[in-house]
């Protein structure tokens, strides 16, 4: 399976989910609303029951503080990155040491 096929599958999955989400749960943010975005995202992450998949080609080590601080302890996290994934290895090892094998990076 190549990257184009993976993105095609992901886009179809997102479209399917968007059809299922009630309109009252839709949220949009203006350019520069960084704090509001992270606040809302942490609420979403806190509601995850089994797993979280974050896809961001330019994800950096701030993911551990900004995204994963509200993760429930039994929720498994998968991070899909493209650029400089090796910089996530040291914080990943520390995260796993503290929270267990709940994190995977590809």
């Amino acid at each position: 399976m190549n990257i184009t096929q993976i993105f095609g599958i992901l886009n179809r999955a997102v479209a399917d989910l968007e059809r299922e989400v009630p309109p009252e749960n839709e949220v949009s943010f203006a350019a520069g609303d960084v704090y509001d975005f992270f606040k809302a995202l942490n609420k979403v992450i806190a509601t995850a029951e089994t797993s979280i998949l974050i896809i961001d080609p330019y994800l950096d080590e701030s993911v551990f503080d900004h995204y994963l601080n509200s993760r429930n302890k039994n929720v498994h996290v998968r991070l899909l990155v493209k650029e400089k994934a090796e910089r996530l290895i040291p914080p990943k090892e520390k995260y796993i040491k503290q929270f267990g094998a709940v994190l995977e990076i590809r």
Side-chain angles (χ1 to χ4, degrees), residues 64 68 71 91-99 103:
F64 297 97
L68 302 182
R71 177 192 66 85
K92 171 193 170 190
E93 291 171 353
K94 292 174 186 172
Y95 195 86
I96 289 173
K97 186 174 183 177
Q98 181 169 344
F99 298 109
L103 178 66

Side-chain angles (χ1 to χ4, degrees), residues 46-91:
T47 64
E49 296 177 2
T50 57
S51 66
I52 298 168
L53 170 62
I54 298 175
I55 302 169
D56 185 340
Y58 306 104
L59 198 65
D60 63 21
E61 52 278 345
S62 68
V63 67
F64 297 97
D65 295 327
H66 293 165
Y67 293 95
L68 302 182
N69 60 350
S70 60
R71 177 192 66 85
N72 290 316
K73 74 175 198 171
N74 295 323
V75 174
H76 184 81
V77 178
R78 291 177 292 155
L79 306 176
L80 182 60
V81 301
K82 181 178 180 183
E83 301 292 326
K84 302 179 182 172
E86 66 278 352
R87 69 181 171 205
L88 296 176
I89 293 172

Side-chain angles (χ1 to χ4, degrees), residues 7-25:
F7 277 113
I9 291 167
L10 290 172
N11 285 330
R12 282 190 299 277
V14 167
D16 290 344
L17 289 172
E18 286 175 342
R19 284 194 301 270
E20 294 176 16
V21 174
E24 65 271 8
N25 290 337

